[in-house]
Amino acid sequence: MSDLTEEYRLDYFDEHGFHRKECSECGDHFWTLDADRETCGEPPCDEYSFIDDPGFEETLKLDEMREAFLSYFEDRDHTRIDPYPVAANRWRDDVLLTQASIYDFQPLVTNGTTPPPANPLCISQPCIRMQDIDNVGKTGRHTMAFEMMAHHAFNAKADVEAEYAYEGEVYWKEDTVRYCMELFEELGADPAEVTLIEDPWVGGGNAGPAFEVIYKGAELATLVFMQFEQDPDGDYEMKDGNTYSEMDTYIVDTGYGLERWTWVSQGTATVYEAIYPEMIDFLTDNAGLEYTDEARAIVHDAARLSGNLDIDDVDDVEAARGEIADRLGVEVERLRELVEPLETIYAIADHSRTLAYMLGDGIVPSNVGTGYLARMVLRRTKRLVDTVGVDAPLDELVDMQAERLGYTNRDTIRDIVRTEVEKYRETLDRGGRRVRQLAEEYADSGEPIPEDELIELYDSHGIQPDMVEEIADERGVAVETPDDFYALVADRHEEGDEAADGEEAVPYADRLAELPETDRLYYEDQQRTDFEAMVLEVFDSEDGDYDVVLDQTMFYPEGGGQPPDHGTLSTDDTTAEVLDTQIYDGVIVHTATDDPGKGEFVRGQIDATRRRRLMRHHTATHVVIHSARQVLGEHVRQAGAQKGTDSARIDIRHYESITREQVREIEHRANELVMENVPVTQNWPDRHEAEDEHGFDLYQGGIPPGEQIRIIQVGDDVQACGGTHVARSGDIGAIKVLNTERIQDGVIRITFAAGDAAIDATQRTEDALYDAADVLDVSPEDVPETAERFFEEWKARGKEIEDLKEQLAEARAGGGADADEIEVAGTTAVVQRIDADMDELRAQANAIVEQGQIAVLGSGADGATFVVGVPDGVEVDAGEVVGELARRVGGGGGGPPDFAQGGGPDAEKLDDALAAAPDILRAVTASED
């Protein structure tokens, strides 16, 4: 088995006098210009040496450092690329958030399917790493939101160039390390203080040698050389235990942390003062935090030492804090008192920036996916704000960061935050009751509330661990809160859609793979409904039909929420109905009722009425979401769609319900575009050119593969789409919104109809209105007012009936000829049969209990039913009594000790059961004693 030692031996190191060393503390190998260096330079092997002693010639702010990096690589023939959104699921379906710059080019560029937008390129990519959420504020260096400055080069081996979308070698390890060292020198760093630690990289089925670049104790860059792919027969065993072999492509994947570089240039105590100075000053003043000179010195020195504090590596945070306190000569409680409020301030600043990125890039808080992660960050930030005593509204704090980041949708961002804060308050009211109940359960057991219960409380109710701790403490119950709690919660929700959905099994996979891709005629002329083709293969399907593959077809296969075309395939001898059409790896399969014969020529005829209705609804879907974005905001994005022949629906991401006025405006704008009768055009541009021109909002209906993508344009609306469409917007006919509903938190479903389906739907609504008018004997215009009047009268009469029932129950509670009274547990029990419904039975039982008596009531109105009520302080369990009574009539029942109900089907035994009630009461009382 080969190792990677030789992969790290570069001519550059020999030419410039580098030495390969083994760290005396951790044992890692590293490269350095300092022949006398013994340690690798990274904490905890070494401490930060740049705090109060900046590592570069100039003090730079974030934007200045970013520009210095990008300009440096532009001067070296790299093309500057605009950053992608932080929501990686806008262009890929296997992850949710962008966690590294290489995410922008996965999977299509890294696997060679499509070329990169430039080669080589440089970028400063905003990223969010939820796994760092618990470290933020505590370590002095972790930020959940950060920019990864990077340069990338995509290379392919010479003998396989024809198989990939890029060819040849741009540059590799030698130039990558040289670029890095020369950047340090250009910024005025001392090269002798730079170390490059050998640290192989593994991820996503790929691997390669990598250098962690350390300067004055700070990890400032990672240089990854992605050259291996996982292979059970591979020659290289990596740190994940798997074996790997060489890839045909090899990629330079670097990452330079913008915030870290800025921090080192300023030499502040923590990274937060370097990147959020104004916001930290604002938060500190607002929270009323004041420090003496002595206290400031302690906090400053603690920050310098906190590089060793990392929740990922240190199991006991308090123990690590204790070590820092010992080194500073202060009590750990004193240190905690000084630093914890500042740690909270730092986290608020960072989380506000994270929210600005998320909401600014159009993520809508919800209970799933990226929306869940945004909600989690928002609620944690709100809790931190309340804990430290900041009285500024959360939407104002997020807006401060959104303004600094240059977002133009700041009003929407603030509106989303305000809406979410209100939802959070409502959630806390409901969830608090569950926490109290849980605390009571664990108080009885004497055990602490475990980690999995905490995570479930947060996942289901949004309850933060410290709130659980407060409530549990009131009842003397301990709580097991892990230091990485929020990272554990995020892990539940960070998989992309592909990982969740899985893949469908492809029928006849081996034989289909041997067939050529089907020529898709429906893209050449979407209005045409007939064609001729040759039958390439026929498979017997499991349900007795036949799966037919043609060399070309006009039949549209199911996809993108559009159902498949139906129709017929005919020869001179037979006509087969096409019941379904599917596509598998470019091969279109027609499910038909008969076998047209392999090698035969067939005439295909599409069901034209069905096709036209589906085309109208598909184009109308584009028009509706375009109109919704105009009315509701640019954050609106498609969460799913389904087109049908009678109606269609589109699910959109939006943070609140849609009002009737907004529905009318969406419908109005949609029909304006229909009446403009603009052309509906299709074209196949280069993928990167389309993304540059239109952004990732192209991918409302999914993410298509390939170098060229099909674009459908209707007026100003532009979307990548594989479906069939009308020729002009006027061909839609009309669009009628039928219904809107919230199908889950953060997702609204709009159901609509187009063309003749819209007329049919409107007529159905009118028919219902006229039927209602006939029933009410009024004109259609008067139906709403009349219905409201009838409803109010119905409610009033219902209330009268309830009042009369209560009066009747009170009257009967005074006793009756058929009521038995016995003494039980020091009080009177009334046993009585009243053949009434359950509501009246409960009302009478309540009336008896209010008089301080036990009520045992039975009814034969619907089978045999019982209600038992017990006054406070009386030692009789109503649930036990009802259970025994119900058993005697062939049923069951139960409830709390003070009020219970039940019954059974055998009404003939009702009287016998009631006759046994005194004995049952005495037996229950005796068991209580």
Side-chain angles (χ1 to χ4, degrees):
M1 191 66 64
S2 302
D3 64 30
L4 297 180
T5 302
E6 293 304 313
E7 297 289 341
Y8 292 108
R9 296 190 182 279
L10 306 181
D11 292 341
Y12 176 88
F13 289 151
D14 292 337
E15 293 166 2
H16 290 81
F18 278 80
H19 305 272
R20 186 174 189 259
K21 299 269 193 170
E22 181 176 336
C23 180
S24 59
E25 295 291 328
C26 67
D28 287 345
H29 288 93
F30 65 95
W31 294 83
T32 176
L33 288 168
D34 183 356
D36 297 324
R37 176 179 274 279
E38 298 294 332
T39 53
C40 65
E42 184 177 27
C45 302
D46 288 278
E47 294 180 2
Y48 297 148
S49 61
F50 64 88
I51 294 178
D52 299 328
D53 182 21
F56 301 130
E57 287 181 351
E58 294 184 55
T59 296
L60 300 177
K61 297 179 180 178
L62 281 174
D63 55 346
E64 295 170 335
M65 182 62 76
R66 182 191 304 114
E67 184 57 38
F69 176 88
L70 294 173
S71 296
Y72 171 85
F73 280 97
E74 278 187 314
D75 291 342
R76 287 154 180 79
D77 300 322
H78 289 66
T79 300
R80 184 187 302 211
I81 300 298
D82 290 335
Y84 287 34
V86 296
N89 61 353
R90 298 270 295 280
W91 70 90
R92 51 189 296 191
D93 56 12
D94 57 336
V95 294
L96 297 178
L97 295 173
T98 308
Q99 298 191 43
S101 59
I102 196 65
Y103 276 41
D104 300 351
F105 315 110
Q106 291 173 323
L108 299 178
V109 176
T110 54
N111 66 20
T113 301
T114 64
N119 199 11
L121 59 83
C122 60
I123 191 171
S124 189
Q125 174 61 48
C127 300
I128 295 175
R129 288 187 179 172
M130 299 297 297
Q131 61 265 39
D132 287 335
I133 187 171
D134 298 287
N135 281 332
V136 174
K138 293 182 173 66
T139 64
R141 71 180 184 273
H142 279 92
T143 60
M144 184 164 45
F146 64 97
E147 283 188 47
M148 180 178 284
M149 304 184 297
H151 62 99
H152 296 283
F154 302 89
N155 310 296
K157 294 179 179 177
D159 57 342
V160 295
E161 290 175 355
E163 300 177 29
Y164 296 93
Y166 42 87
E167 59 185 26
E169 181 173 297
V170 181
Y171 62 80
W172 192 225
K173 298 175 187 174
E174 302 284 348
D175 287 332
T176 301
V177 173
R178 177 173 58 83
Y179 285 141
C180 181
M181 293 304 299
E182 290 180 358
L183 176 61
F184 275 106
E185 292 180 30
E186 184 157 306
L187 291 173
D190 179 1
E193 292 196 63
V194 176
T195 58
L196 296 94
I197 302 173
E198 298 176 4
D199 184 25
W201 172 86
V202 176
N206 295 119
F211 290 111
E212 288 184 359
V213 184
I214 313 299
Y215 177 56
K216 295 177 78 70
E219 181 185 345
L220 294 188
T222 303
L223 313 179
V224 175
F225 305 103
M226 190 189 300
Q227 65 187 85
F228 302 134
E229 60 187 350
Q230 194 168 322
D231 179 358
D233 299 321
D235 295 329
Y236 296 90
E237 183 174 349
M238 304 299 284
K239 56 187 178 183
D240 65 347
N242 294 310
T243 55
Y244 291 76
S245 59
E246 293 274 355
M247 295 193 301
D248 291 336
T249 60
Y250 51 108
I251 297 162
V252 173
D253 173 19
T254 68
Y256 293 66
L258 171 61
E259 290 74 15
R260 298 275 182 91
W261 284 74
T262 303
W263 182 22
V264 170
S265 83
Q266 296 185 22
T268 54
T270 71
V271 69
Y272 314 112
E273 284 94 355
I275 62 177
Y276 310 128
E278 297 86 359
M279 190 166 194
I280 288 172
D281 288 344
F282 171 83
L283 292 169
T284 303
D285 291 343
N286 187 284
L289 298 183
E290 297 181 358
Y291 291 89
T292 64
D293 291 342
E294 177 192 9
R296 287 185 182 280
I298 293 172
V299 169
H300 183 85
D301 290 341
R304 178 173 49 80
L305 296 173
S306 66
N308 297 335
L309 184 63
D310 188 334
I311 294 175
D312 292 336
D313 301 325
V314 179
D315 293 332
D316 189 347
V317 174
E318 288 307 310
R321 200 188 299 279
E323 293 176 12
I324 293 175
D326 289 342
R327 294 182 62 177
L328 295 176
V330 298
E331 294 293 328
V332 68
E333 191 58 42
R334 170 63 173 160
L335 179 62
R336 185 185 301 110
E337 177 185 286
L338 291 174
V339 302
E340 283 190 347
L342 276 177
E343 290 173 352
T344 302
I345 293 294
Y346 297 151
I348 292 170
D350 171 79
H351 292 6
S352 297
R353 181 193 188 194
T354 302
L355 287 169
Y357 274 132
M358 286 179 149
L359 306 182
D361 278 354
I363 294 175
V364 175
S366 68
N367 288 331
V368 295
T370 54
Y372 180 91
L373 299 177
R375 174 167 288 167
M376 186 182 81
V377 176
L378 189 148
R379 291 181 172 181
R380 183 173 195 254
T381 310
K382 174 59 178 168
R383 187 72 172 168
L384 293 172
V385 165
D386 293 342
T387 299
V388 81
V390 171
D391 64 4
L394 184 56
D395 62 289
E396 179 181 327
L397 302 181
V398 176
D399 184 60
M400 290 172 65
Q401 293 286 27
E403 180 181 24
R404 187 177 67 82
L405 295 172
Y407 283 109
T408 58
N409 58 339
R410 289 166 53 202
D411 288 343
T412 298
I413 293 173
R414 295 193 69 157
D415 197 20
I416 291 174
V417 174
R418 285 191 291 264
T419 301
E420 277 296 304
V421 168
E422 185 57 37
K423 287 181 181 178
Y424 185 34
R425 290 195 184 100
E426 296 170 0
T427 299
L428 289 180
D429 290 341
R430 295 192 303 270
R433 294 191 290 272
R434 170 59 186 148
V435 177
R436 291 181 180 88
Q437 178 185 350
L438 195 66
E440 292 290 353
E441 294 173 10
Y442 281 91
D444 293 339
S445 70
E447 298 177 356
I449 297 177
E451 174 185 302
D452 59 342
E453 290 277 18
L454 278 184
I455 293 176
E456 186 59 35
L457 279 171
Y458 184 88
D459 224 13
S460 300
H461 302 286
I463 304 298
Q464 312 275 349
D466 53 354
M467 180 180 175
V468 180
E469 290 172 2
E470 289 174 13
I471 295 173
D473 186 61
E474 295 171 4
R475 289 157 177 76
V477 177
V479 176
E480 294 180 352
T481 305
D483 293 327
D484 59 347
F485 172 81
Y486 290 95
L488 293 173
V489 174
D491 284 345
R492 283 189 169 194
H493 298 268
E494 281 203 303
E495 286 190 345
D497 298 335
E498 186 179 80
D501 294 341
E503 295 183 0
E504 270 188 53
V506 179
Y508 330 114
D510 294 340
R511 293 169 67 186
L512 282 176
E514 298 173 358
L515 297 173
E517 290 190 6
T518 309
D519 188 5
R520 290 175 275 186
L521 301 176
Y522 48 80
Y523 285 150
E524 297 177 10
D525 184 356
Q526 297 177 81
Q527 318 308 314
R528 184 177 161 192
T529 58
D530 63 292
F531 68 100
E532 293 183 348
M534 175 182 284
V535 178
L536 298 182
E537 188 61 88
V538 179
F539 303 99
D540 293 334
S541 67
E542 295 179 355
D543 54 7
D545 295 317
Y546 300 88
D547 287 340
V548 181
V549 179
L550 308 176
D551 63 336
Q552 59 182 8
T553 186
M554 287 296 301
F555 281 87
Y556 178 81
E558 183 176 15
Q562 179 174 327
D565 281 334
H566 293 171
T568 60
L569 294 176
S570 302
T571 66
D572 292 338
D573 300 323
T574 185
T575 296
E577 288 186 47
V578 175
L579 308 175
D580 191 16
T581 312
Q582 299 291 328
I583 186 169
Y584 304 100
D585 294 328
V587 178
I588 295 177
V589 177
H590 310 73
T591 299
T593 57
D594 207 342
D595 181 356
K598 182 177 179 179
E600 293 289 332
F601 282 95
V602 294
R603 296 179 298 279
Q605 178 64 53
I606 310 296
D607 181 337
T609 300
R610 176 184 173 86
R611 162 70 77 84
R612 279 195 295 269
R613 282 198 164 198
L614 292 172
M615 289 166 64
R616 287 176 182 142
H617 278 128
H618 203 144
T619 309
T621 301
H622 288 217
V623 173
V624 169
I625 193 169
H626 176 69
S627 301
R629 286 168 65 84
Q630 289 180 309
V631 174
L632 304 176
E634 292 299 309
H635 64 280
V636 167
R637 288 186 176 83
Q638 181 175 317
Q642 184 62 49
K643 298 84 180 176
T645 54
D646 295 327
S647 65
R649 67 173 187 260
I650 185 166
D651 301 335
I652 62 171
R653 302 195 185 278
H654 185 52
Y655 53 91
E656 58 187 357
S657 298
I658 302 178
T659 66
R660 178 59 190 159
E661 291 74 17
Q662 289 170 328
V663 170
R664 290 168 62 91
E665 181 63 18
I666 291 169
E667 191 175 80
H668 176 73
R669 288 176 182 260
N671 282 292
E672 271 189 345
L673 185 52
V674 169
M675 290 184 290
E676 288 174 6
N677 198 28
V678 297
V680 179
T681 62
Q682 65 168 334
N683 58 79
W684 297 80
D686 174 82
R687 176 186 214 92
H688 298 302
E689 291 176 1
E691 291 173 353
D692 286 343
E693 183 175 358
H694 304 291
F696 293 104
D697 286 341
L698 277 172
Y699 304 133
Q700 293 290 338
I703 304 146
E707 293 185 40
Q708 277 72 43
I709 56 177
R710 182 172 181 253
I711 298 296
I712 298 296
Q713 182 162 359
V714 190
D716 293 332
D717 180 69
V718 182
Q719 296 185 39
C721 180
T724 57
H725 291 270
V726 298
R728 303 186 71 87
S729 63
D731 297 338
I732 294 172
I735 295 174
K736 179 63 183 174
V737 176
L738 306 178
N739 185 44
T740 64
E741 60 177 325
R742 191 182 72 151
I743 59 171
Q744 67 183 55
D745 204 13
V747 179
I748 307 296
R749 172 166 292 169
I750 302 175
T751 304
F752 59 93
D756 54 348
I759 295 174
D760 291 345
T762 303
Q763 289 176 341
R764 287 194 298 271
T765 302
E766 288 180 345
D767 289 344
L769 176 62
Y770 277 93
D771 289 345
D774 288 342
V775 171
L776 297 172
D777 195 21
V778 297
S779 67
E781 293 80 5
D782 293 333
V783 166
E785 181 182 347
T786 305
E788 183 179 9
R789 176 165 54 83
F790 279 13
F791 178 69
E792 292 299 329
E793 291 175 359
W794 173 78
K795 283 201 304 183
R797 287 184 179 140
K799 189 175 185 308
E800 288 179 18
I801 292 170
E802 289 301 315
D803 290 342
L804 289 171
K805 282 185 176 181
E806 288 183 10
Q807 293 174 27
L808 177 61
E810 289 175 4
R812 287 177 170 171
D818 56 346
D820 292 329
E821 295 185 0
I822 60 171
E823 291 298 316
V824 176
T827 189
T828 300
V830 177
V831 181
Q832 188 175 13
R833 172 170 178 165
I834 304 172
D835 289 330
D837 61 24
M838 185 59 78
D839 288 342
E840 185 175 339
L841 221 59
R842 283 195 293 262
Q844 180 160 340
N846 282 326
I848 293 172
V849 170
E850 285 177 6
Q851 296 182 14
Q853 298 175 318
I854 300 171
V856 181
L857 306 181
S859 170
D862 182 17
T865 55
F866 302 98
V867 171
V868 176
V870 179
D872 290 342
V874 176
E875 297 297 327
V876 172
D877 191 319
E880 287 189 35
V881 176
V882 160
E884 180 59 28
L885 290 170
R887 185 185 64 78
R888 292 170 183 252
V889 294
D898 60 341
F899 203 89
Q901 64 187 53
D906 198 347
E908 293 181 359
K909 295 182 179 179
L910 173 62
D911 290 333
D912 291 342
L914 287 173
D919 293 336
I920 295 171
L921 286 167
R922 294 187 186 100
V924 168
T925 304
S927 66
E928 293 290 337
D929 294 340

